[in-house]
Amino acid sequence: MQTSLSNPNAVYWYPSNHPSVLQPTNSRGPGFIMLVPIFTLKLNHKINPRMVSVGRYDGVHPCLTAATQAGKVFIHNPHSRSQRVSAQRLVQSSQDSDVSLLNINQNVSCLTAGVFDPRVGYDSLIVGTQTNLLAYDVHNNSDLFYKEIVDGANAVVLGSLGDITSPLAVIGGNCALQGFDCSGNDLFWTVTGDNVRSLALCDFDGDEKKELLVGSEDFDIRVFKEDEIVAEMSETETITALCPMYGSRFGYALSNGTVGVYDRTARYWRIKSKNLAMSIHAFDLNSDGVCELITGWSNGKIDARSDRTGEVIFKDNFCSSVAGVVEGDYRMDGKTQLICCSIDGEVRGYLPTSQEAAGSLMDTSVEQELVRELSQKKQNLLLELKNYQENSKAESRISQSETDGQMGVIPANTQLQTALSVSLGSETQNAHVELSISTSNDTIIRAVLIFAEGIFEGESHVVHPSTQHLSGLVRVPISPPKDVPVDLHIKAFVGYKSSVQFHVFELTRQLPRFSMYVLSNPSSAPETSSYVTFTTSERLQRVVLWLNQNFLLPEDAEIQNAPFQISFTSLRDGGTLLLSMKASGEISLRTDDMDLAGDIIQSLASFLAIEDLAVEADFPKYFDQLRKVLVQVDESHSVHQKLTADMADQSNLIRSMLVQAEDARLMRDMKNMKKRYNELYDLNRDLINRYKIRCNNHAELLNNLKCVNQAIQRAGRLRVGKPKVQVITACRDAIRSNNINALFRIMRVGATPS
């Protein structure tokens, strides 16, 4: 019997030497602190999740800002109640004198606040929708700029990026990233693998310059040093939130209820809950000089976790889902508070513990931690002693051979062995990678538990053979959905058929990155016109070593000298991969899968430590599809402009007809009034139909633009270093100038350095 573990409350426990050691989600550790809110507000406005910020719009007073229903943003300012707000965009709320409303007239998709123009010394408000970006000067009640954003704005972050001198409002949308300065100039643009869901700025590499962290729907966290990707981390679900903590450490949250902490590319810990993480924020709540990860959950819970272990040190509960977690000196007393907001408009502020209390708490924590460790050791020793006592009693009652079997005694030289191979499948089972787990003698395997990220549902898999089929060999089919290296953490119960107690063997086996490709005969491989070629000075033996580490090659496979040619077939779709190398160092890849070609080049370049790599590539079938998509983009733009013009004309006609109908009513000309209102009804119905057509056209345009952005990203992944950045920049310039031929030439041969 084989099952997947998907307990919604599960905390994943790694082997003790794994970099992601976890703590139970419901534990109250020795460092747990008790806090009560120092202020509570009840605002008469709903708050959209993940759209909360605090800004000092006059340079002095912090104001809570959040997106609310019906395309509005509210600004809560309890510090200057005597001030009246002028009427342009910002209007006073009729429900609360401390709240002003900013009418966006579109559904808000993201917002943030911060210093945008360093010359003025106060914060600005940035609001994104699916079609526009607004930079707003709240203090002067005026727009800094209002931009149309074709790719939409799913996430926004404000701050300094790399060597770019002025602060940027960086937005992530439909596979694209754009950065604007306070004047609305587009100073930064690049593409990423999928729709962007979260952004953060963090000094990832310790050079005292901020890098851009990007979380997207393809489950990857990418790190951009300006427009160059310097690191990628694969997760198991969409990354919904990112937050810098300190140094190179940052927190993250996934759409399946997982939160955790990375330090550069190494994950410190993570936990998973049945609830969704709505917001995360870094804040030093226990005054120990190190920020904790504060998480707001969909069930209304707020918790603070140690950045080192994930241990809960504080928690509280709201009556409804948490909308956002921010910080600010909201009481204007010189002390920064942690501010938590619920979707119902409840706001609570928490003050960190004092340094004196934190010091005594840390002293107590050390003692309690030591007591807890010793208690755990005592419990383990008592349990071990109990087992020895039971064994001793059993030995006095039954024979030695029976004792060995029942008590789980196995030969001292018993070993657990693993092997990976490729299975071509059968009529009832698809092709897959097969993991074989066996013992080195006549012992049997009672059960196997495998933990592997991104392969099994719930990330854990149990094989529990029935008593009739117990043996010393267990085979587990594995089908990784993506070409990424995966560590398989294996636990096996080993004993005899009559055993009631079993020995637990633990080991880790890595699944190669391209394990879903089986070696095939190059002469029988179908012809493909798609290729990538480049030249390297590396020796053949290094390339062969890379092949052995990243593919499941048979033991008898030998590659002697260049030139050589090796062929693989994909177990997923039957596609062909042909790899060859000449004595001159020219390497050629032939495959119709552009993503696969990019993955192979990135993997090979990383293994060979190649910093800059230019290639020549051609994917005729893919480029033909892309050409059709570009034609559809032009058609969608034309239709959009025509529909916009027609709707404007009809709107003017409706205004005119409404005036005529009202004139007829005032003159008691019922016949003309009825006629005008009937015409007005028909015009309004036609206007609604055209709006629906415009919405469908916009959705089609977004899908096509996503394909274009992904094509640019794929063309970039065929290169490494500076050639990659040059290709992405040149492709965008070609699209801006509508030079399609230049676009395809750049994708094929790269960009000429300016």
Side-chain angles (χ1 to χ4, degrees):
M1 181 178 66
Q2 301 187 11
T3 60
S4 292
L5 299 182
S6 55
N7 181 358
N9 286 312
V11 176
Y12 295 126
W13 289 89
Y14 294 80
S16 58
N17 60 347
H18 194 274
S20 300
V21 177
L22 302 179
Q23 300 294 329
T25 56
N26 60 351
S27 65
R28 285 196 178 191
F32 194 86
I33 57 177
M34 302 295 293
L35 297 176
V36 294
I38 58 170
F39 68 82
T40 301
L41 305 171
K42 183 61 180 175
L43 305 178
N44 295 316
H45 295 275
K46 298 286 186 181
I47 299 178
N48 293 351
R50 302 188 180 97
M51 301 182 200
V52 182
S53 186
V54 170
R56 296 178 182 266
Y57 301 118
D58 60 356
V60 179
H61 302 100
C63 302
L64 184 68
T65 307
T68 186
Q69 298 170 331
K72 292 182 174 63
V73 173
F74 76 74
I75 299 173
H76 179 254
N77 182 9
H79 309 290
S80 44
R81 292 173 176 164
S82 60
Q83 295 181 359
R84 291 191 173 272
V85 181
S86 59
Q88 184 185 349
R89 280 185 183 269
L90 206 60
V91 296
Q92 206 75 40
S93 169
S94 59
Q95 298 174 316
D96 193 333
S97 60
D98 293 341
V99 173
S100 302
L101 292 175
L102 180 65
N103 289 307
I104 306 299
N105 298 322
Q106 295 183 61
N107 288 331
V108 177
S109 54
C110 58
L111 66 77
T112 190
V115 176
F116 203 9
D117 186 353
R119 298 169 297 180
V120 298
Y122 53 78
D123 292 349
S124 301
L125 175 63
I126 313 296
V127 181
T129 70
Q130 287 304 312
T131 55
N132 297 95
L133 181 69
L134 168 67
Y136 191 67
D137 184 343
V138 176
H139 182 61
N140 295 311
N141 199 13
S142 62
D143 294 355
L144 294 176
F145 63 79
Y146 186 67
K147 288 276 187 180
E148 181 177 357
I149 307 296
V150 178
D151 294 310
N154 300 328
V156 62
V157 65
L158 179 59
S160 299
L161 175 62
D163 291 320
I164 301 174
T165 55
S166 58
L168 294 182
V170 181
I171 59 168
N174 199 11
C175 300
L177 300 163
Q178 280 182 278
F180 298 92
D181 66 7
C182 60
S183 301
N185 300 315
D186 186 355
L187 300 184
F188 171 76
W189 185 91
T190 190
V191 291
T192 187
D194 208 333
N195 291 335
V196 178
R197 285 295 167 221
S198 52
L199 296 171
L201 291 168
C202 171
D203 184 8
F204 182 82
D205 55 6
D207 63 350
E208 298 184 354
K209 297 176 183 177
K210 295 292 181 67
E211 282 74 44
L212 180 65
L213 308 179
V214 181
S216 52
E217 291 181 354
D218 61 356
F219 308 169
D220 282 347
I221 301 173
R222 295 179 176 87
V223 183
F224 286 83
K225 195 173 185 65
E226 293 189 20
D227 49 8
E228 180 182 357
I229 296 178
V230 295
E232 291 184 66
M233 291 77 77
S234 291
E235 277 297 331
T236 57
E237 264 295 342
T238 299
I239 294 88
T240 56
L242 293 165
C243 76
M245 299 194 70
Y246 64 90
S248 57
R249 198 167 297 185
F250 63 92
Y252 72 97
L254 307 182
S255 59
N256 62 358
T258 298
V259 296
V261 168
Y262 273 94
D263 191 351
R264 298 192 179 181
T265 57
R267 185 168 54 211
Y268 267 35
W269 57 266
R270 66 171 181 161
I271 63 100
K272 186 176 181 181
S273 169
K274 64 181 179 180
N275 302 299
L276 301 181
M278 306 305 293
S279 179
I280 58 175
H281 187 75
F283 188 79
D284 184 9
L285 203 58
N286 58 3
S287 301
D288 63 350
V290 179
C291 288
E292 286 73 49
L293 183 66
I294 316 297
T295 308
W297 299 90
S298 57
N299 65 342
K301 185 176 75 171
I302 291 282
D303 63 35
R305 294 178 180 273
S306 165
D307 71 304
R308 305 173 188 86
T309 63
E311 182 180 48
V312 176
I313 68 164
F314 164 76
K315 61 183 176 182
D316 199 359
N317 287 280
F318 283 84
C319 296
S320 58
S321 172
V322 175
V325 181
V326 292
E327 65 178 76
D329 181 10
Y330 220 57
R331 297 198 306 173
M332 297 292 293
D333 59 0
K335 298 177 181 179
T336 302
Q337 300 99 41
L338 178 70
I339 302 171
C340 305
C341 312
S342 75
I343 60 173
D344 287 339
E346 184 180 358
V347 181
R348 297 180 191 171
Y350 300 89
L351 199 62
T353 57
S354 64
Q355 292 186 352
E356 294 79 8
S360 61
L361 182 65
M362 289 176 66
D363 293 337
T364 307
S365 298
V366 173
E367 295 176 3
Q368 291 180 346
E369 182 69 27
L370 184 59
V371 170
R372 189 168 65 167
E373 288 181 5
L374 293 173
S375 298
Q376 185 66 44
K377 287 181 180 179
K378 177 183 176 182
Q379 185 178 357
N380 292 338
L381 290 171
L382 288 173
L383 184 61
E384 188 175 351
L385 178 62
K386 181 181 178 182
N387 286 334
Y388 282 128
Q389 290 172 343
E390 289 180 354
N391 287 353
S392 178
K393 292 178 182 178
E395 287 175 358
S396 63
R397 293 196 305 266
I398 57 179
S399 67
Q400 181 62 40
S401 60
E402 290 175 332
T403 301
D404 289 349
Q406 291 186 7
M407 294 301 116
V409 178
I410 62 175
N413 62 350
T414 303
Q415 294 181 345
L416 192 68
Q417 300 165 342
T418 62
L420 289 168
S421 60
V422 176
S423 172
L424 298 179
S426 61
E427 293 181 358
T428 58
Q429 193 172 33
N430 294 328
H432 58 269
V433 176
E434 188 170 84
L435 171 65
S436 299
I437 306 169
S438 60
T439 60
S440 57
N441 47 37
D442 61 345
T443 53
I444 58 98
I445 300 175
R446 190 65 186 87
V448 174
L449 169 64
I450 304 174
F451 174 84
E453 294 182 35
I455 294 182
F456 306 117
E457 183 181 356
E459 302 186 21
S460 296
H461 188 68
V462 175
V463 182
H464 199 283
S466 61
T467 53
Q468 296 84 3
H469 298 91
L470 291 176
S471 69
L473 174 64
V474 172
R475 291 187 173 92
V476 183
I478 297 175
S479 298
K482 297 171 66 177
D483 293 329
V484 292
V486 179
D487 286 333
L488 305 174
H489 303 285
I490 303 166
K491 291 186 179 182
F493 290 7
V494 177
Y496 290 97
K497 288 187 178 181
S498 59
S499 298
V500 293
Q501 294 179 348
F502 295 88
H503 285 257
V504 179
F505 285 76
E506 292 188 31
L507 55 87
T508 299
R509 179 72 185 262
Q510 187 177 71
L511 192 65
R513 180 169 187 172
F514 303 105
S515 57
M516 288 292 284
Y517 297 86
V518 60
L519 190 66
S520 58
N521 189 350
S523 60
S524 61
E527 290 284 334
T528 176
S529 55
S530 302
Y531 68 88
V532 181
T533 60
F534 58 93
T535 302
T536 178
S537 58
E538 289 289 343
R539 293 176 291 112
L540 170 67
Q541 288 77 9
R542 293 268 291 159
V543 177
V544 173
L545 185 60
W546 169 81
L547 280 170
N548 280 302
Q549 288 189 9
N550 288 273
F551 291 84
L552 288 175
L553 297 178
E555 293 182 359
D556 57 352
E558 292 186 4
I559 301 173
Q560 297 292 344
N561 298 308
F564 79 87
Q565 190 176 57
I566 190 169
S567 176
F568 297 92
T569 301
S570 172
L571 299 183
R572 297 187 184 99
D573 56 12
T576 300
L577 168 64
L578 197 64
L579 192 149
S580 61
M581 182 175 181
K582 296 180 180 179
S584 61
E586 181 182 296
I587 297 178
S588 175
L589 300 175
R590 288 192 171 273
T591 176
D592 289 326
D593 189 341
M594 199 170 178
D595 286 322
L596 173 60
D599 288 341
I600 287 178
I601 287 173
Q602 295 298 317
S603 173
L604 185 57
S606 175
F607 181 82
L608 300 177
I610 299 174
E611 294 184 357
D612 296 310
L613 179 65
V615 307
E616 183 178 334
D618 193 15
F619 292 83
K621 293 180 181 178
Y622 182 77
F623 288 164
D624 287 344
Q625 295 174 358
L626 180 59
R627 196 177 292 273
K628 293 177 183 177
V629 168
L630 290 169
V631 171
Q632 292 174 356
V633 168
D634 286 339
E635 291 175 352
S636 296
H637 279 303
S638 300
V639 171
H640 174 77
Q641 292 174 355
K642 184 177 183 303
L643 287 173
T644 301
D646 290 346
M647 290 177 69
D649 292 340
Q650 283 191 310
S651 298
N652 293 331
L653 189 59
I654 285 174
R655 291 192 194 97
S656 174
M657 199 162 291
L658 184 61
V659 171
Q660 294 178 26
E662 284 300 293
D663 286 345
R665 183 182 65 82
L666 293 173
M667 296 174 65
R668 300 185 182 277
D669 186 353
M670 295 298 116
K671 182 178 179 181
N672 275 329
M673 184 194 75
K674 185 177 180 180
K675 179 181 178 182
R676 297 301 179 200
Y677 273 117
N678 283 333
E679 292 174 351
L680 193 64
Y681 175 80
D682 293 336
L683 273 174
N684 186 60
R685 183 177 58 189
D686 189 35
L687 193 64
I688 293 173
N689 290 334
R690 286 179 181 272
Y691 176 74
K692 291 179 180 178
I693 294 172
R694 185 182 178 188
C695 288
N696 293 333
N697 178 74
H698 182 69
E700 183 180 351
L701 176 62
L702 285 181
N703 288 332
N704 289 330
L705 288 174
K706 179 179 179 179
C707 292
V708 173
N709 289 335
Q710 286 179 331
I712 295 174
Q713 194 255 355
R714 286 167 177 152
R717 279 184 61 81
L718 296 177
R719 285 91 180 171
V720 178
K722 292 180 181 178
K724 176 180 181 178
V725 175
Q726 291 166 356
V727 162
I728 292 175
T729 303
C731 284
R732 191 199 186 195
D733 292 340
I735 290 176
R736 273 180 166 177
S737 59
N738 202 26
N739 192 339
I740 305 303
N741 292 329
L743 174 67
F744 287 107
R745 184 179 68 253
I746 293 164
M747 288 184 171
R748 288 189 178 100
V749 300
T752 304
S754 56

